């Protein structure tokens, strides 16, 4: 934790000026354009990744120099946030969806680490359980379901699909995204100086022990003050479960109706039909005949 | 929690959100599209928790409760969206979002 004298100094105005943020965002944007999957060679994508990494490191270095303290919480903060941001970039830039999902697990774990640093252990555990445990397993299942047939059809499992290897409008998207990022960072670092905590500052341990433990206090808050919202959340989960079942079931019905009509190409009576033949019942093929006299 | 530490967490949240936004606009695979929205959810969750920690007191639990409901929304969104993705994949045998370009209005 930083010293209180540091708190309300004109912190970012001198060091992290809008121009710095702008230049860093432009550099990071160019790196992202090069890194995103497209019809480029692998070496250019590597260069894009390095450019992006360099912009990130410069940003971190500026803030670390301003913050001056590099001990205890700060070390873990930079570790976790670095892992989170780098693996998030890999999520959107990796050409194979399975790897994107696995890098997303890494992002979730790093964000859970950030939550632990913020004294919310229950949220960290819930995040890992729900995201890395439940949601991501569903994603990986769907990726396997959806890509199995595709690789079998084209026979190019290693190459990946065309829509995975070529991204859509990377320049425009990077411009929009990094403009938004620049504006947000500018507001966060430059315009946030008037912000003061509403309550006088307590240590986290005090606030948690007042509520009788982190999880207990959160549960009391949820079931006392937010009861209606909690019930609504439960209803929402039930409705979505029913909806997912119906969505999955609807296809099965349509699939059966699609495969049912059987196209018969052969004429019902072949030209060289034997006049003594008898049609065989129990089969749909009209050519199947029995010849009792032969 | 000093102001400057809060700003660091807000910056991480903003960066995660914008990366997710870029991914949502550029990628064409339907599954990766929804992974990008989950990335945006992560950024927002970091913001909520950091603000709760910043204001400590009762707001500490307000932020956490908001993230609980955010996880609920994320779970519903993932289940419904992935069901739809499987449905769409079986219709056209591709995960390309551009395959559904003719859907207008």
């Amino acid at each position: 934790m930083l010293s209180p004298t540091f708190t309300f100094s004109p912190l970012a105005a001198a060091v992290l000026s809008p121009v710095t943020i702008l230049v860093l965002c432009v550099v990071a944007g160019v790196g992202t354009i090069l890194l995103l999957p497209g019809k480029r060679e692998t070496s250019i994508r590597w260069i894009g990744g390095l450019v992006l990494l360099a912009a990130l490191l410069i940003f971190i270095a500026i803030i670390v120099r301003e913050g001056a303290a590099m001990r205890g919480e700060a070390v873990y903060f930079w570790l976790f946030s670095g892992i989170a941001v780098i693996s998030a970039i890999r999520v959107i830039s990796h050409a194979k969806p399975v790897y994107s999902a696995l890098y997303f697990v890494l992002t979730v774990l790093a964000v859970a680490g950030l939550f632990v640093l913020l004294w919310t252990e229950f949220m960290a555990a819930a995040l890992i359980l729900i995201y890395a445990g439940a949601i991501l397993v569903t994603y990986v299942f769907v990726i396997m379901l959806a890509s199995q047939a595709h690789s079998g059809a084209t026979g190019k499992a290693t190459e990946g699909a065309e829509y995975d290897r070529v991204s859509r409008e990377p320049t425009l998207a990077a411009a929009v995204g990094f403009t938004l990022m620049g504006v947000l960072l500018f507001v966060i670092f430059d315009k946030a100086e008037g912000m003061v905590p509403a309550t006088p500052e307590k240590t986290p341990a005090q606030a948690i022990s007042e509520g009788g433990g982190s999880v207990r206090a959160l549960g009391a808050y949820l079931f006392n003050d937010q009861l209606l919202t909690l019930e609504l959340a439960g209803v929402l989960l039930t409705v979505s479960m029913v909806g997912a079942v119906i969505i999955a079931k609807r296809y099965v019905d349509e699939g059966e109706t699609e495969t049912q009509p059987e196209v018969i190409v052969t004429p019902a009576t072949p030209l060289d039909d034997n006049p003594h033949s008898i049609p065989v019942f129990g089969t749909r093929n009209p050519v199947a005949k029995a010849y009792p006299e032969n | 929690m000093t102001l400057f530490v809060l700003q660091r967490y807000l910056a991480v949240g903003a960066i995660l959100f914008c990366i997710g936004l870029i991914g949502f606009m550029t990628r064409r695979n339907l599954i990766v599209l929804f992974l990008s929205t989950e990335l945006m959810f992560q950024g927002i969750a970091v913001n909520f928790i950091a603000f709760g920690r910043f204001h400590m007191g009762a707001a500490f639990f307000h932020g956490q409760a908001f993230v609980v409901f955010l996880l609920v929304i994320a779970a519903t969104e993932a289940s419904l969206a992935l069901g739809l993705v499987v449905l769409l994949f079986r219709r056209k045998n591709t995960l390309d979002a551009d395959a559904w370009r003719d859907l207008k209005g």
Side-chain angles (χ1 to χ4, degrees):
Chain A
M1 196 61 58
L2 301 174
S3 60
T5 54
F6 198 79
T7 309
F8 296 112
S9 63
L11 31 95
V15 180
L16 208 62
S17 65
V19 179
T20 320
I21 294 178
L22 182 74
V23 170
L24 280 179
C25 281
V26 168
V27 171
V30 172
T32 309
I33 293 169
L34 292 179
L35 184 66
L36 280 171
K39 293 170 186 166
R40 297 185 197 89
E41 292 132 30
T42 322
S43 58
I44 298 182
R45 291 191 59 199
W46 268 104
I47 293 171
L50 289 179
V51 167
L52 198 55
L53 195 64
L56 195 67
L57 284 179
I58 291 170
F59 182 67
I60 289 176
I62 289 174
I63 297 181
V64 165
R65 191 182 60 177
E66 179 77 1
M70 194 67 187
R71 62 196 148 72
E73 185 189 337
V75 177
Y76 287 104
F77 170 78
W78 292 116
L79 196 66
F80 285 135
S81 54
I83 292 173
V85 170
I86 289 173
S87 51
I89 289 168
R90 288 305 283 158
V91 169
I92 67 162
S93 67
H94 208 289
K96 292 180 185 171
V98 178
Y99 285 86
S100 292
L102 292 180
Y103 275 112
F104 183 71
V105 173
L106 198 56
T107 310
V108 168
L109 292 180
V111 169
L114 288 180
F115 283 4
V116 171
L117 285 185
L118 291 166
W119 290 79
T120 53
E121 298 86 2
F122 173 70
M123 289 320 300
L127 197 75
I128 291 178
L129 280 177
I130 296 175
Y131 261 105
I135 295 182
L136 253 295
V137 169
T138 321
Y139 270 97
V140 172
F141 263 114
V142 171
I143 289 170
M144 286 196 303
L145 267 179
S147 58
Q148 193 180 16
H150 186 274
S151 61
T154 55
K156 283 196 292 181
T158 53
E159 281 285 310
E162 190 267 342
Y163 52 84
D164 275 334
R165 280 181 285 113
V166 180
S167 46
R168 172 181 53 200
E169 301 280 358
T171 316
L172 195 63
V176 171
F178 278 95
T179 307
L180 180 65
M181 189 189 289
V183 171
L184 283 178
L185 290 180
F186 172 70
V187 171
I188 287 170
F189 281 104
D190 219 51
K191 299 291 178 195
E193 289 178 28
M195 261 185 0
V196 181
T199 53
E201 195 166 331
K202 280 183 277 189
T203 63
Q206 281 172 356
I208 289 171
S209 64
E210 274 176 22
S214 177
V215 180
R216 173 183 295 218
L218 178 63
Y221 173 68
L222 278 178
F223 279 93
N224 288 328
D225 300 346
Q226 300 288 335
L227 189 59
L228 183 65
T229 325
L230 201 68
E231 296 296 329
L232 275 178
V235 171
L236 186 67
L237 277 176
T238 315
V239 167
S240 81
M241 191 179 71
V242 173
V245 168
I246 287 175
I247 286 173
K249 200 173 179 320
R250 180 193 288 164
Y251 171 70
V252 175
D253 293 344
E254 285 182 2
E256 283 173 357
T257 52
E258 273 176 16
T259 53
Q260 218 161 16
E262 190 177 319
V263 181
I264 298 166
V265 188
T266 331
T269 336
L271 292 178
D272 54 344
D273 198 15
N274 190 334
H276 300 290
S277 63
I278 307 166
V280 176
F281 295 103
T283 171
R284 284 189 187 173
N285 188 359
V287 187
K289 300 276 180 79
Y291 301 96
E293 289 182 3
N294 291 341
Chain B
M1 185 177 195
T2 57
L3 187 59
F4 196 76
V5 177
L6 169 71
Q7 288 176 334
R8 287 179 189 167
Y9 284 97
L10 294 189
V12 172
I15 290 173
L16 281 182
F17 183 87
C18 292
I19 289 173
L21 185 69
I22 294 170
F24 190 80
M25 287 189 286
T26 51
R27 296 308 299 267
R28 290 163 60 194
N29 189 326
L30 282 172
I31 296 173
V32 184
L33 230 69
F34 286 109
L35 270 182
S36 303
T37 60
E38 306 287 347
L39 266 184
M40 291 197 262
F41 275 130
Q42 298 290 309
I44 294 164
V46 170
N47 260 15
F48 276 126
I49 297 282
F51 267 118
R53 169 76 180 77
F54 177 61
H55 291 293
M56 219 51 222
F60 188 51
F61 302 108
H62 296 184
Q64 289 188 54
F66 224 122
V67 175
V68 168
F69 296 127
L70 194 137
L71 288 181
V72 170
I73 300 292
T76 26
E77 178 247 338
S79 65
L80 284 178
L82 290 178
L84 282 173
V85 165
V86 171
L87 191 72
L88 294 178
F89 174 75
R90 290 187 183 163
R91 283 271 169 85
K92 292 206 175 179
N93 206 26
T94 177
L95 283 174
D96 194 354
D98 286 346
W100 301 91
R101 193 179 274 270
D102 49 343
L103 285 179
K104 292 254 165 65

